[in-house]
């Protein structure tokens, strides 16, 4: 934990971190002059089961353990009075996913959530976001020694939603963090899926998929901070864009610090552009300060529909629209299948099908 | 009875230098139950002929006609050609990541039959067809052609043909990359469909060994974008012995 910078400034759009984001479209969430309500809009779906607890805690009693220089997140931290704290007990094995559902209010809101995975626990947490929101939020995920947490966030927002968030994991000794970030809705979504390690032997897998259609801006700024020896990270994000002014941004910052010997990391971003007028920015950024690593690599591709694949499917009688749907589903399958909940998987696939049909791609 | 009639077919591809002519007037008629072997040197246009009939977007038809039972094939979209009863077993089958073989086969069968096949009978049908082609049932769950060996891809093509039951099939070098056992298994598959469906076959190959299993009624020599000689099975043996030198301009 390091102190928050005291001199943070309101972004102007010229900063490296903000240069892709249309600040006009974030409803002043970054601007101290705009007032934002403090409201707990996230709640457990279903009943509490053995193995975990969920409580509202005074923000001052559960300060953030990680540092951020993001202006919106700093406003979230100072603007929120109460935090939702989900605690998975030490050594608890929670079989069924713990589902947190957000029901946004009518005004702009800030929200803070902390998830603690107790030592040697194992659980899956799914955060469902839908409806219309203007939301600044932070979820800090603390994985204690030997814990295993699968963390899924679903951004199935309506197409007017503005969502700026940071989902930050602190991975403890020998802990395993598997995350899946799905963004298929929203007018403007800007997420910071970030990871740091607090001890050796940790492993993080960050999977993501996004699907942007007409006028949507979907931005994911992944950051993996290897500041501890012998930790592992894998990042795979896949995006599809269709329709006029569909816009996605993917940043993959992976920093391997001088003392992070034995680091093993690989990051990949693949984008599929289905129509003209869509734009995908992809910026993998790997910085290595030590030579003593196991492996480090990155790749990024942006391409069009593969005509050969469509021809192959159609030559077996499958109509064009169905062939395209199959290829898109196939593209996302490796990520969606990892959610491990058939109802959600099928819901996401049908939403993607529906949006594809809407833009006629 | 079905009949595929190719008349004076001329096909080119768009290149940076403009239209490059590949097929220069192909004439060929294939009836149900007939096997037409097409043999010819590399680059002579055999795959271009196969792809043009199937409707690959890369090729531009610049002249001639293709009809199936009197209906214009060239006017049809790619999927309509399959629905009309044409099937192309490709020289290089395409990988489709994330789409399982099971899902692919079912989607194709649904499209061709106009309704989803009954789950229970369908699963049995697929299993039986796979076992006849000595394919491990585990292939069902794998992505289409992804990581398949050359021979496995070819078996998968013939599996599709067995399940989709076309009227006319074009087999583009289905024998290439098959070991002796696989060649026999695949040939038996082709002969099975031929017997059941009275299938008409265009068999593109470089080797006579497949012709020992699938007996051709006609052999056509393809060179320079057209058929330059026609004959019976004996022509294939002569080609294997003497090569294509006499057909290719120096
Ligand atoms: N997109 C293209 N651009 C330029 N030339 C092409 C293109 N596609 C095919 N050709 C050319 O057309 C010719 C015919 O190719 P085709 O694949 O039909 O030959 P083939 O007879 O099937 O050969 P093989 O026996 O090697 O399979 C070749 O010279 C090939 O290079
Ligand atoms: Mg060929």
């Amino acid at each position: 934990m390091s102190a928050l910078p005291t001199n943070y400034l309101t972004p102007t759009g010229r900063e490296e971190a903000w240069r892709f984001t249309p600040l006009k479209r974030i409803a002043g969430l970054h601007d101290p002059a705009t007032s934002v309500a403090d409201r707990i809009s996230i709640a457990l779906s279903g009943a509490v089961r053995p193995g975990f607890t969920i409580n509202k805690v005074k923000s001052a009693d559960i300060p953030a353990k990680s540092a951020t220089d993001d202006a919106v997140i700093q406003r979230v931290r100072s603007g929120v009075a109460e935090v939702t704290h989900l605690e998975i007990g030490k050594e608890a094995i929670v079989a069924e996913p713990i589902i947190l559902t957000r029901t946004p209010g009518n005004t702009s809101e800030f929200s803070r959530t902390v998830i603690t995975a107790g030592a040697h626990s194992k659980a899956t947490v799914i955060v469902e976001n839908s409806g219309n929101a203007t939301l600044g939020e932070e979820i800090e995920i603390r994985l204690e020694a030997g814990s295993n947490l699968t963390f899924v966030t679903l951004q199935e927002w309506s197409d007017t939603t503005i969502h700026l968030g940071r989902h930050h994991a602190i991975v403890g000794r020998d802990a395993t963090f598997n995350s899946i970030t799905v963004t298929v809705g929203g007018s403007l979504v800007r997420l910071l899926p970030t990871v740091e390690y607090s001890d050796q032997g940790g492993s993080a897998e960050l999977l993501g998929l996004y699907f942007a259609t007409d006028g949507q801006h979907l931005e994911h700024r992944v950051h993996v901070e290897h500041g501890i020896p012998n930790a592992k990270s894998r990042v795979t994000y896949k995006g599809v864009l269709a329709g006029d002014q569909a816009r996605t941004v993917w940043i993959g910052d992976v920093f391997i610090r001088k003392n992070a010997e034995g680091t093993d990391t690989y990051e990949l971003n693949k984008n599929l552009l289905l129509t003209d007028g869509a734009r995908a920015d992809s910026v993998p950024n790997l910085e290595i300060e030590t030579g003593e690593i196991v492996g480090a690599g990155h790749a990024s591709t942006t391409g069009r529909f593969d005509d050969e694949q469509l021809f192959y499917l159609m030559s077996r009688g499958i109509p064009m629209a169905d062939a395209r749907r199959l290829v898109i589903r196939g593209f996302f399958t490796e990520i969606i299948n990892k959610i491990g909940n058939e109802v959600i998987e099928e819901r996401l696939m049908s939403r993607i099908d529906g949006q594809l049909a809407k833009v006629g791609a | 009875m079905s009949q595929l009639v190719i008349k004076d077919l001329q096909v080119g591809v768009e290149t940076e230098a403009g239209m490059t002519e590949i097929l220069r007037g192909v004439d060929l008629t294939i009836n149900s139950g007939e096997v037409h072997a097409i043999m010819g040197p590399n680059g002579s246009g055999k795959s271009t002929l196969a792809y043009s009939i199937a409707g690959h977007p890369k090729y531009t038809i610049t002249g001639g006609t293709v009809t199936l039972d009197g209906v214009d094939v060239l006017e049809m979209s790619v999927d309509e050609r399959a629905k009309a009863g044409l099937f192309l077993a490709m020289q290089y089958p395409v990988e489709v990541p994330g789409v399982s073989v099971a899902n692919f086969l079912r989607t194709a069968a649904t499209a061709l039959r106009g309704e989803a096949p009954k789950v229970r009978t369908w699963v049995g049908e697929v299993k039986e067809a796979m076992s006849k082609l000595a394919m491990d049932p585990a292939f069902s769950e794998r992505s289409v052609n992804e990581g398949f060996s050359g021979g496995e891809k070819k078996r998968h093509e013939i599996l599709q043909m067995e399940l989709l039951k076309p009227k006319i099939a074009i087999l583009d070098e289905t024998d290439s990359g098959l070991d002796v056992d696989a060649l026999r298994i695949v040939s038996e598959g082709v002969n099975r469909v031929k017997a059941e469906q009275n299938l008409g076959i265009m068999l593109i190959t470089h080797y006579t060994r497949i012709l020992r299993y699938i007996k051709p009624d006609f052999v056509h020599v393809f060179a320079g974008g057209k058929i330059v000689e026609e004959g019976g099975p004996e022509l294939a043996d002569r080609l294997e012995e003497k090569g294509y030198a006499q057909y290719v301009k120096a």
Side-chain angles (χ1 to χ4, degrees), chain A residues 101-122:
Chain A
T101 303
R102 192 183 299 279
T103 318
N106 300 320
T107 54
S108 305
E109 62 192 64
F110 282 150
S111 154
R112 249 191 90 204
T113 306
V114 172
I115 299 171
T116 304
H120 303 287
S121 66
K122 189 172 193 304

Side-chain angles (χ1 to χ4, degrees), chain A residues 46-325:
Chain A
V48 179
R49 284 169 277 140
F52 68 92
T53 58
I54 185 159
N55 292 299
K56 286 174 194 163
V57 183
K58 278 209 189 70
S59 186
D61 293 341
I62 189 165
K65 285 194 171 178
S66 61
T68 179
D69 60 4
D70 186 276
V72 173
I73 303 308
Q74 286 177 339
R75 288 197 73 205
V76 169
R77 287 183 178 182
S78 57
V80 161
E82 273 192 326
V83 174
T84 305
H85 188 198
L86 169 66
E87 257 183 300
I88 296 145
K90 193 178 165 200
E91 291 171 16
I93 308 289
V94 184
E96 292 298 309
I98 301 165
I99 298 180
L100 303 178
T101 303
R102 192 183 299 279
T103 318
N106 300 320
T107 54
S108 305
E109 62 192 64
F110 282 150
S111 154
R112 249 191 90 204
T113 306
V114 172
I115 299 171
T116 304
H120 303 287
S121 66
K122 189 172 193 304
T124 295
V125 176
I126 300 176
V127 178
E128 292 183 316
N129 292 309
S130 63
N132 182 32
T134 300
L135 173 69
E137 60 129 9
E138 180 176 35
I139 303 177
E140 195 178 75
I141 305 135
R142 304 167 180 177
L143 289 95
E144 294 177 354
S147 63
N148 183 315
L149 184 73
T150 299
F151 174 71
V152 181
T153 57
L154 307 173
Q155 280 62 234
E156 297 173 90
W157 296 117
S158 76
D159 54 16
T160 49
T161 287
I162 299 162
H163 176 196
L164 284 84
R166 176 176 190 254
H167 301 156
H168 182 81
I170 304 169
V171 181
R173 188 175 191 90
D174 300 326
T176 304
F177 178 62
N178 293 311
S179 73
I180 303 161
T181 301
V182 175
T183 305
V184 294
S187 163
L188 185 143
V189 177
R190 183 180 188 272
L191 294 180
L192 313 174
T194 56
V195 171
E196 67 179 286
Y197 301 85
S198 59
D199 207 336
Q200 300 198 30
S203 169
E205 181 176 58
L206 282 74
L207 303 178
L209 78 82
Y210 46 86
F211 179 36
T213 60
D214 299 312
Q216 285 184 300
H217 177 103
L218 307 181
E219 180 169 351
H220 295 85
R221 309 182 66 90
V222 174
H223 177 170
V224 181
E225 181 71 24
H226 280 281
I228 296 275
N230 302 317
K232 180 176 165 179
S233 62
R234 289 289 181 273
V235 179
T236 305
Y237 268 69
K238 289 181 146 190
V240 171
L241 297 84
D244 200 30
Q245 306 285 319
R247 183 73 204 280
T248 65
V249 177
W250 181 84
I251 310 290
D253 283 332
V254 176
F255 297 128
I256 305 174
R257 301 301 181 194
K258 217 177 179 71
N259 62 328
E261 292 173 359
T263 293
D264 180 3
T265 180
Y266 193 83
E267 54 168 345
L268 170 68
N269 177 226
K270 276 191 183 180
N271 294 296
L272 209 49
L273 288 164
L274 301 190
T275 60
D276 290 330
R279 177 172 162 186
D281 281 293
S282 178
V283 189
N285 177 33
L286 181 58
E287 290 182 23
I288 309 175
E289 294 170 8
T290 170
E292 305 295 312
I293 56 170
V294 174
H298 64 80
S300 162
T301 62
T302 296
R304 300 245 159 202
F305 248 126
D306 184 334
D307 283 342
E308 298 297 329
Q309 290 179 358
L310 291 179
F311 171 71
Y312 188 74
L313 297 173
M314 289 178 71
S315 76
R316 273 45 175 157
I318 300 171
M320 170 84 89
D322 292 343
R324 284 172 167 258
R325 225 173 4 244

Side-chain angles (χ1 to χ4, degrees), chain A residues 306-320 322 326-327 329-331 333-334, chain B residues 51 55-56 78-79 82-83 87-88 90 94-95 97-99 103-104 108 111-112 145 157 160:
Chain A
D306 184 334
D307 283 342
E308 298 297 329
Q309 290 179 358
L310 291 179
F311 171 71
Y312 188 74
L313 297 173
M314 289 178 71
S315 76
R316 273 45 175 157
I318 300 171
M320 170 84 89
D322 292 343
L326 271 182
V327 171
R329 280 181 169 236
F331 181 71
T333 289
E334 63 165 324
Chain B
Y51 277 132
H56 195 293
V78 176
D79 56 313
K83 287 184 187 110
F87 182 87
L88 168 60
M90 289 184 208
V94 181
E95 301 187 358
V99 177
N103 185 13
F104 165 59
L112 287 184
N145 294 322
E157 294 292 282
Q160 294 166 49

